[in-house]
Amino acid sequence: MIMNDAATIQGQPVMREEEFRTPRVERPYFLRPTSQGVEVIKIPPQWTWQKEPVQRVLACLGLKQNWDSYGGKVPSLDTAIAVISCIDGMPPNNTLIPRIAPLPTGGIQLELRRGSKELEIEFSPNGEVFYLQSDGAQNSEGPTSVTQDQILSWMTWLTAS
């Protein structure tokens, strides 16, 4: 914020100490655009590690068309909701934070790694979900449905020795 009485160094305004020391307030909700306006979605109070990946999913919705300069499409709200539901289905004491990556097709990919084990779950804009499970020696991949049992199976596999 530039103020009339702000000190300047070489013509550049300097922020007052109180302006950059103000703590950032985390809101217990996020806004979702709808055809009727905006809907407020409350973040469950039990969420801890889930907040960061969900914020990254929501950031994917803010991308512009051609975001990668190769015609990248913006993910749909339905795709984002599917990814957030998957994150919400992971165990609350999870120590593996998923990496979130937008895909040029308009999908979103969720990636988890532990040691030599990797799990990639790709949420396509048409509602299909594909996974790749690899431990360095053996791969398993294909279409899947993301159920609570499937999520727990993946997490058990990732965290097993």
Side-chain angles (χ1 to χ4, degrees), residues 11-27:
Q12 299 297 319
V14 176
M15 292 181 69
R16 295 173 186 246
E17 184 174 344
E18 62 271 9
E19 290 176 323
F20 66 86
R21 294 212 186 264
T22 305
R24 185 172 178 208
V25 177
E26 281 200 34
R27 295 185 177 94

Side-chain angles (χ1 to χ4, degrees), residues 34-54:
T34 66
S35 59
Q36 268 85 45
V38 177
E39 177 183 4
V40 176
I41 299 175
K42 294 188 178 189
I43 296 172
Q46 68 274 17
W47 275 12
T48 54
W49 63 266
Q50 296 95 330
K51 290 179 185 176
E52 183 182 333
V54 167

Side-chain angles (χ1 to χ4, degrees), residues 124-145:
S124 298
N126 62 4
E128 294 179 318
V129 180
F130 299 90
Y131 78 99
L132 170 64
Q133 192 173 342
S134 175
D135 64 3
Q138 188 175 0
N139 293 340
S140 174
E141 63 183 309
T144 189
S145 57

Side-chain angles (χ1 to χ4, degrees), residues 4 10 20 33 35 66 73 85 104 111-112 119 127 130 151 155:
N4 289 338
Q10 297 178 351
F20 66 86
S35 59
N66 195 29
K73 298 176 183 171
S85 294
E111 303 171 2
L112 291 153
L119 173 65
F130 299 90
I151 293 169
M155 299 309 289

